[in-house]
Amino acid sequence: MAKPIPLELPTRDRRAELLHELERAPMQHVEALLDTYQLLQALHDHGVLDSLRGALGSSDKILQVIVDATKTSEGIRALRNLVVLAKIAGAVEPEFLGTVAKSLSSDLAHAKSSEPLSLWQLFKKLRSRDSRRALTAMTSVLESVGKGLDQPPKE
């Protein structure tokens, strides 16, 4: 009858593997480590690390101040306004904003480099369909703000 072959696997020392990897890390990541040290020094020079240490030490007090601030009617309105603004921002398509930003940056660059438009040229620009559409949107926003200012604040 055949005898089984004994299989003895060496035990894996994960701690030794990690120490070996740690010894090699500075050589492999020299630039990243130097950048990290520079960043830490800049944070230390500007007092950011001290501020963070203080914030961690008094986190209970900071949390209490935030809770007390949100209990007020102004805090509640501010949170509601942030939610509404987030919904509005979420409704805008990123492609639309990209197009507007690109057009605006090229128009601003052109305005900086050239002579300002005459009043007649400005009037002609305002008569375009796109300008009238933008003016309509801005006027509607101004009208809504005016209506809101006319109402007394709710308590």
Side-chain angles (χ1 to χ4, degrees):
M1 181 147 163
K3 292 185 179 180
I5 300 174
L7 179 64
E8 293 180 18
L9 296 175
T11 58
R12 183 176 174 192
D13 188 5
R14 182 68 181 143
R15 183 179 171 93
E17 291 174 9
L18 288 174
L19 284 173
H20 181 67
E21 192 174 329
L22 183 62
E23 289 172 358
R24 289 183 305 169
M27 294 300 200
Q28 293 175 347
H29 307 288
V30 174
E31 288 182 46
L33 285 172
L34 289 175
D35 288 344
T36 303
Y37 287 139
Q38 289 175 353
L39 176 64
L40 276 173
Q41 186 62 48
L43 290 172
H44 175 72
D45 292 344
H46 288 78
V48 174
L49 295 177
D50 292 332
S51 299
L52 287 174
R53 202 171 325 139
L56 285 175
S58 61
S59 59
D60 293 341
K61 292 177 186 175
I62 292 174
L63 186 60
Q64 187 61 41
V65 168
I66 292 172
V67 168
D68 290 342
T70 55
K71 285 181 181 178
T72 64
S73 60
E74 294 89 3
I76 293 170
R77 280 196 297 259
L79 287 174
R80 286 180 181 168
N81 289 339
L82 283 174
V83 169
V84 169
L85 288 174
K87 285 181 180 179
I88 291 171
V92 177
E93 292 292 330
E95 293 83 18
F96 170 73
L97 284 181
T99 305
V100 169
K102 189 165 52 169
S103 174
L104 184 61
S105 65
S106 67
D107 289 345
L108 288 175
H110 178 70
K112 281 184 174 180
S113 65
S114 64
E115 191 68 25
L117 297 176
S118 68
L119 288 176
W120 180 249
Q121 290 170 323
L122 281 174
F123 178 70
K124 283 174 40 179
K125 263 191 174 288
L126 286 174
R127 290 185 57 218
S128 75
R129 181 179 178 164
D130 293 334
S131 294
R132 289 194 324 264
R133 184 178 294 129
L135 285 172
T136 301
M138 288 189 311
T139 306
S140 298
V141 169
L142 285 174
E143 182 181 26
S144 298
V145 170
K147 285 179 183 175
L149 290 174
D150 194 30
Q151 298 174 356
K154 296 177 183 176
E155 290 296 328

